[in-house]
């Protein structure tokens, strides 16, 4: 089974604490062109490990569980339910302080099973998802840069 590996990065002229907080708030996922709405579906004791985000987008929806939460350095998540179906190995956002602000790396690894469109969906999603990840990072930059 071939795994799709996405890697998007951007340096944002703001401190890591602010960039982390903005990107960890699921409401801001709506900066992506395809996203209609996003928010918390379940927050056991705060927006940390085991919290679940919900994302509704054009032609798809996701439930993502936060699997690691280390502010302001990184957080990881895994899609646990979705339409179309994903086999998600996980995604991680890493925040590194730089002289210019904060360098963000966003990686995600997944496949679509045959029932979720298989290789055809991978061909589509491997182009649409990085475009949407970049739009979210650009929304963060626009919101936080001075």
């Amino acid at each position: 089974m071939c795994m799709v590996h996405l890697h998007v990065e951007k340096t944002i002229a703001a401190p890591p604490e602010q960039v982390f907080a903005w990107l960890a708030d699921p409401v801001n996922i709506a900066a992506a062109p395809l996203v209609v709405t996003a928010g918390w579906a379940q927050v056991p004791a705060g927006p940390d490990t085991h919290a679940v985000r919900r994302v509704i987008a054009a032609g798809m929806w996701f439930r993502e569980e936060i699997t690691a939460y280390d502010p302001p350095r990184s957080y990881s998540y895994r899609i646990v339910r979705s339409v179309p179906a994903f086999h998600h190995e996980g995604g991680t956002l890493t925040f590194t302080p730089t002289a210019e602000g904060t360098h963000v790396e966003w990686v995600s690894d997944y496949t679509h099973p045959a029932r979720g469109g298989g290789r055809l969906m991978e061909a589509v999603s491997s182009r649409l998802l990085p475009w949407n990840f970049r739009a979210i990072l650009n929304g963060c930059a626009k919101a936080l840069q001075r």
Side-chain angles (χ1 to χ4, degrees), residues 24-39:
D25 184 344
V27 170
N28 294 320
I29 294 171
L34 295 179
V35 174
V36 177
T37 185

Side-chain angles (χ1 to χ4, degrees), residues 46-85:
D48 56 9
T49 306
H50 305 299
V52 177
R53 303 186 294 199
R54 64 169 168 67
V55 180
I56 299 171
M60 61 188 85
W61 68 265
F62 304 99
R63 292 290 183 267
E64 301 173 331
E65 180 180 5
I66 303 300
T67 57
Y69 197 78
D70 183 21
R73 290 175 277 291
S74 67
Y75 75 85
S76 299
Y77 64 97
R78 188 172 63 84
I79 296 171
V80 293
R81 295 185 67 207
S82 66
V83 172

